Amino acid sequence: MSPDTPTEVVSRELHGKVLLVTINNPPVNALGVDVRRGILDAIDAADADHDVQSVLIVGAGRNFIAGADIREFGKPPLPPSLPDVCNRIEACSKPVVAAIHGAALGGGLEIALAAHYRLAVAGAKLGLPEVQLGLIPGAGGTQRAPRLIGAKAALDLMLSGRHIGAEEALTLGLVDRLGRSDNILAEGFAYAQELLSAHAPVRRTRNADALADRQKNQTAIEAARADTAKKSRGLFSPLKIVEAVEAALDHSFDEGLRIERKLFLQCIDSPQRAGLIHAFFAEREVLKVPETRNAKPRAIERVGIVGGGTMGAGIAVAVLDAGLPVTMIERDEAALARGRTHVEKVYDGLIAKGRMTADAKAATMARFTGSTSYDALAQGDLVIEAVFEDIMVKQAVFAELDRVCKPGAVLASNTSYLDIDAIAASISRPADVIGLHFFSPANIMKLLEIVIPAKVSADVVATAFELAKKLRKVPVRAGVCDGFIGNRILAAYRQAADYMMEDGASPYQIDQALRDFGYPMGPFQVSDLAGGDIGWATRKRKAATRDPSARYVQIADRICERGWFGQKTGRGYYLYPEGARIGTPDPEVLTIIDAERQRAGITPRSFINEEIIRRYMAAMINEGANVVHQRIALRPLDVDVTFLYGYGFPRYRGGPMKYADTVGLPNVLSDIREFAKEDPLFWQPSPLLIDLVERGANFDTLNQSE
Ligand code: 3HC
Ligand code: NAI
């Protein structure tokens, strides 16, 4: 029999006594309104048709169902609701089988839980990741999963949001059977047929009994509540998940569903949901840049790295971890040996923690070679330069690369601030030169700024994006300017923090305010961790070109002059007695700050934390707007992703530009104008911000229009 409505997102086809229901809603079979309607109709049809004795639900393409359609959240609801669809499946009078391949996530798994029997094949990914979007499972997941697999396992799935494979799902009791092949249709039909032959009854998860041992489940819920209160600082939905699971233990199934709905809607209304969903789409949108649309990436099989210091070694680890061979070039044998040691240290650390075996380290290091001669790079497909931050030194390195590298090799610089156009212009093949700005530690930090010089060819850009994928980094396209997207904006809000410190807030208060905002660390803690000497060197380098009329706070210089560079020297803004990793406030630093205030003729005033956040964010948002205005960032969302992945911005706030939309651009602009009364040079409103406010628009309108 042919499908009755082949063009629809849910098709039905009777195979003997089994009604095959196929969800076909590319790219991931999300449960949009048409899919929900189609499933409902299919179950109604199955119940009504005497020829149908069982229903088999499968997904077309690479996945079963990836979940609710995330784009619908925050918009007016369209019936039927997903909980109603799940309840309808469960109420079906004939056995319903879900056959899972690929993703069965969120609402996708909830559909499967509402079915009467579940099968999964190898490669299946099951999970309830709603927590990552600021939500709780909202289509019966918080009620059915604990009844099926117990509160402890269900809470673990929902609070971690992790994906599990078919085998683990079978062990937990989330599925009933593993398919032997990856032919999902054959496996699904075989299972449905077997169930029919055995006269298997309709079996509803609402009646499953994994919560029968009340005491055991209550203990698991209490433990999860205590753990969640400790770990999910600032997040709204995790404790709601615990509450919903507790309702499964304490109430009837229908009452539990009602409570789940109420909690789910509270989460939908939370700004955290909006921030997290913005982050979800933004990190996919950043991959869409004009240069990669039609260009094919060049092949990358051999990677060279010039410089084996902090960054060179970290990048080497990132590349080795992606399974590629690395050739490191250093100035002399001693520096090369140090570079190799830096790389080995990372793996030795993993071995010490039991996360790597000595054999695995040996196999990885077998792909690492070093040389003091550039000739070793002759066959490299990509070379990443990570030598001292000095344009002369870098240009000398690129001259060597120009001499030895084969035609078509991609030549990249990891510079933090320097003009990559000037580096590209200094050699004979500027079209092959690009910026690859990693963040420290380069093997851990997810952000990779891909910096686009004027003459770079599109396939080099495509190669950089492909490399990011291989290295499991989040790439963001950035234009050439002093500091690109991230460090340029950082310079602005760090200055705002320094001004507040000189005006009366202590670095400890500022750090605390930012931690309360959701950052893992405040800016002065970060400075102590990174080493105050790095910023000091930059300030000295830029001293000659600094605008003499601009306000300049000298506190950091006074601290650095004492050799207090942060954690590595035992003190910076904080004290780190005996190698402590968490610092304690230092009264001597406060004395230095007082002296500097006096020298600058400033009478300190008090700040409340809210003002600290307003000033810090206004500086960040304003410079973010400039960066978008000057096309250094393609869209506001590129700024957001940069700060989420490179600078610890709290994900549930979506990034600085999303945060600006949340508080309202007119409010941000009026703050800036207010602050400008005391320092008009620093607080110059961005033309883009003014324009958006005048048009009644926000940053998100620019994300949509690209
Ligand atoms: N809704 C709408 N669009 C979705 C989506 C969803 N649930 N999941 C993925 N997409 C879109 C992506 O935005 C992307 O769109 P684009 O091509 O325009 O950029 C496209 O589908 C492909 O996605 P990926 O690039 O992520 O594809 P991958 O193959 O790398 O990954 C995946 C596939 C593992 C399914 C991944 O997309 C994923 O994790 N999706 C989200 C899963 C999820 O969070 N589900 C829960 C939703 S909330 C829910 O169900 C609430 C319920 O309890 C009521
Ligand atoms: P580093 O000082 O730790 O290492 C630089 C290395 O380059 C040294 O080992 C040195 O021997 C080697 N080197 C210098 N000249 C060389 C040459 N001509 N040929 C071969 N090797 C040479 O410096 P770090 O921190 O690793 O920085 C390197 C680059 O990465 C700089 O451009 C820096 O701005 C950038 N960067 C640094 C970050 C950080 O947090 N440290 C973050 C992102 C980028």
Side-chain angles (χ1 to χ4, degrees):
M1 194 174 155
S2 65
D4 50 0
T5 47
T7 55
E8 288 197 349
V9 290
V10 178
S11 63
R12 310 198 290 261
E13 201 178 346
L14 191 60
H15 290 253
K17 296 169 179 167
V18 180
L19 183 70
L20 173 67
V21 177
T22 306
I23 321 293
N24 186 5
N25 185 27
V28 293
N29 297 334
L31 293 158
V33 61
D34 293 338
V35 175
R36 299 199 297 274
R37 261 185 214 136
I39 297 176
L40 210 59
D41 290 349
I43 301 295
D44 283 346
D47 262 340
D49 186 343
H50 290 297
D51 292 340
V52 174
Q53 291 191 13
S54 122
V55 179
L56 172 62
I57 304 180
V58 298
R62 292 197 294 134
N63 299 296
F64 177 65
I65 299 169
D69 186 339
I70 300 172
R71 290 179 203 274
E72 285 184 2
F73 294 141
K75 299 191 182 140
L78 296 167
S81 74
L82 196 52
D84 287 349
V85 174
C86 289
N87 291 341
R88 182 66 189 91
I89 293 171
E90 192 169 60
C92 184
S93 60
K94 298 164 186 180
V96 181
V97 178
I100 298 168
H101 78 299
L105 299 174
L109 184 56
E110 289 174 300
I111 291 272
L113 290 173
H116 306 136
Y117 295 91
R118 285 159 293 279
L119 163 141
V121 297
K125 275 193 285 197
L126 299 90
L128 293 166
E130 285 87 344
V131 70
Q132 284 156 7
L133 303 173
L135 294 171
I136 72 170
T142 66
Q143 305 303 300
R144 289 192 178 91
R147 282 176 166 82
L148 192 62
I149 62 174
K152 187 166 190 274
L155 280 164
D156 167 53
L157 277 187
M158 290 185 243
L159 290 169
S160 69
R162 71 191 175 96
H163 300 173
I164 63 173
E167 300 241 354
E168 189 178 350
L170 183 73
T171 310
L172 288 178
L174 205 57
V175 300
D176 306 295
R177 171 168 162 142
L178 286 191
R180 277 175 286 274
S181 74
D182 57 6
N183 184 337
I184 193 66
L185 274 184
E187 293 292 337
F189 276 122
Y191 189 32
Q193 211 55 59
E194 222 174 88
L195 290 166
L196 273 182
S197 308
H199 302 289
V202 160
R203 187 191 62 166
R204 299 191 166 98
T205 310
R206 63 161 62 206
N207 301 321
D209 62 2
L211 291 178
D213 184 340
R214 213 191 132 74
Q215 188 54 47
K216 187 173 110 192
N217 284 291
Q218 186 68 51
T219 306
I221 291 168
E222 288 315 327
R225 176 172 282 128
D227 195 48
T228 304
K230 230 183 347 192
K231 282 195 199 144
S232 65
R233 231 170 38 92
L235 276 176
F236 182 73
S237 81
L239 280 170
K240 302 286 164 193
I241 289 173
V242 178
E243 209 178 321
V245 172
E246 190 160 49
L249 190 63
D250 290 346
H251 297 281
S252 69
F253 182 78
D254 289 329
E255 178 60 10
L257 276 189
R258 208 186 53 71
I259 295 171
E260 177 194 84
R261 192 76 196 150
K262 184 188 80 185
L263 297 170
F264 178 77
L265 292 176
Q266 286 175 8
C267 293
I268 284 279
D269 287 342
S270 142
Q272 294 192 357
R273 186 273 306 162
L276 288 164
I277 286 182
H278 173 77
F280 176 87
F281 286 118
E283 67 200 27
R284 286 164 175 77
E285 286 301 305
V286 284
L287 304 175
K288 298 170 191 166
V289 304
E291 289 85 356
T292 61
R293 250 169 233 153
N294 301 311
K296 211 171 132 258
R298 298 181 188 173
I300 302 264
E301 271 149 32
R302 291 186 200 83
V303 178
I305 294 174
V306 187
T310 310
M311 292 309 287
I315 297 167
V317 172
V319 175
L320 289 169
D321 287 350
L324 292 163
V326 168
T327 303
M328 178 181 278
I329 303 293
E330 260 289 356
R331 293 182 291 177
D332 50 45
E333 291 297 341
L336 185 57
R338 276 198 301 277
R340 188 186 172 101
T341 304
H342 285 320
V343 172
E344 291 207 41
K345 242 194 202 157
V346 174
Y347 294 123
D348 290 339
L350 292 179
I351 292 174
K353 285 186 201 140
R355 283 167 43 200
M356 191 183 213
T357 62
D359 285 352
K361 176 191 162 189
T364 304
M365 288 308 291
R367 281 184 276 111
F368 179 92
T369 50
S371 177
T372 53
S373 160
Y374 281 87
D375 295 333
L377 298 179
Q379 292 312 311
D381 302 301
L382 161 71
V383 179
I384 305 170
E385 164 279 307
V387 303
F388 300 137
E389 185 76 344
D390 178 320
I391 189 96
M392 305 294 279
V393 177
K394 291 199 190 280
Q395 282 176 337
V397 169
F398 272 77
E400 288 297 304
L401 299 180
D402 200 9
R403 184 179 64 79
V404 301
C405 289
K406 65 182 184 187
V410 173
L411 308 180
S413 173
N414 180 50
T415 178
S416 309
Y417 294 94
L418 300 176
D419 181 356
I420 301 179
D421 278 319
I423 296 174
S426 70
I427 64 167
S428 71
R429 32 174 141 172
D432 295 332
V433 175
I434 193 162
L436 289 178
H437 185 216
F438 290 80
F439 288 71
S440 181
N443 55 314
I444 293 181
M445 291 295 285
K446 285 276 173 211
L447 180 64
L448 178 63
E449 275 182 310
I450 295 182
V451 190
I452 312 288
K455 296 213 170 116
V456 68
S457 79
D459 64 340
V460 168
V461 180
T463 311
F465 274 83
E466 189 61 25
L467 176 79
K469 197 197 272 174
K470 281 205 175 117
L471 303 189
R472 307 173 121 217
K473 301 283 180 207
V474 179
V476 174
R477 182 195 186 282
V480 176
C481 71
D482 192 5
F484 317 125
I485 298 178
N487 283 345
R488 173 170 160 180
I489 297 173
L490 166 75
Y493 65 80
R494 267 310 313 250
Q495 230 171 315
D498 285 348
Y499 294 165
M500 289 190 274
M501 174 164 65
E502 197 174 53
D503 287 340
S506 78
Y508 315 119
Q509 186 193 359
I510 296 171
D511 280 351
Q512 182 63 50
L514 269 304
R515 283 197 303 272
D516 291 348
F517 182 79
Y519 274 94
M521 277 191 243
F524 297 99
Q525 288 175 293
V526 172
S527 166
D528 274 3
L529 185 65
D533 47 332
I534 295 181
W536 194 29
T538 310
R539 290 194 298 280
K540 282 194 252 183
R541 198 176 60 238
K542 293 185 176 168
T545 51
R546 201 166 31 236
D547 180 351
S549 56
R551 178 174 177 190
Y552 181 73
V553 175
Q554 298 183 25
I555 296 168
D557 297 344
R558 293 297 91 77
I559 289 174
C560 287
E561 282 156 11
R562 288 167 168 77
W564 301 351
F565 296 147
Q567 276 193 29
K568 63 185 173 189
T569 57
R571 68 195 296 182
Y573 289 97
Y574 292 82
L575 285 166
Y576 301 88
E578 283 144 36
R581 299 184 59 142
I582 297 181
T584 45
D586 183 348
E588 281 189 58
V589 166
L590 295 177
T591 310
I592 295 170
I593 295 171
D594 268 340
E596 279 303 306
R597 287 172 184 154
Q598 278 182 25
R599 189 195 51 75
I602 290 168
T603 311
R605 69 174 177 93
S606 65
F607 283 79
I608 56 166
N609 287 3
E610 192 215 336
E611 183 182 355
I612 291 174
I613 297 298
R614 274 166 70 171
R615 285 177 178 264
Y616 197 80
M617 286 300 141
M620 192 183 303
I621 294 160
N622 198 47
E623 194 60 7
N626 283 331
V627 155
V628 174
H629 186 57
Q630 293 164 15
R631 304 287 288 174
I632 299 299
L634 274 183
R635 302 147 293 202
L637 66 85
D638 296 84
V639 176
D640 285 338
V641 173
T642 301
F643 280 84
L644 294 178
Y645 284 99
Y647 296 83
F649 196 94
R651 186 177 170 87
Y652 63 80
R653 296 189 190 273
M657 312 314 267
K658 173 71 186 173
Y659 176 73
D661 282 354
T662 310
V663 296
L665 299 194
N667 295 327
V668 177
L669 182 59
S670 95
D671 273 353
I672 291 170
R673 289 190 164 137
E674 184 60 32
F675 305 150
K677 288 179 188 158
E678 43 188 72
D679 186 350
L681 190 62
F682 180 73
W683 292 106
Q684 294 181 46
S686 165
L688 178 63
L689 188 57
I690 295 172
D691 175 58
L692 289 173
V693 170
E694 279 171 1
R695 290 195 284 122
N698 64 11
F699 287 124
D700 204 38
T701 52
L702 302 179
N703 291 330
Q704 316 295 336
S705 64
E706 272 299 321

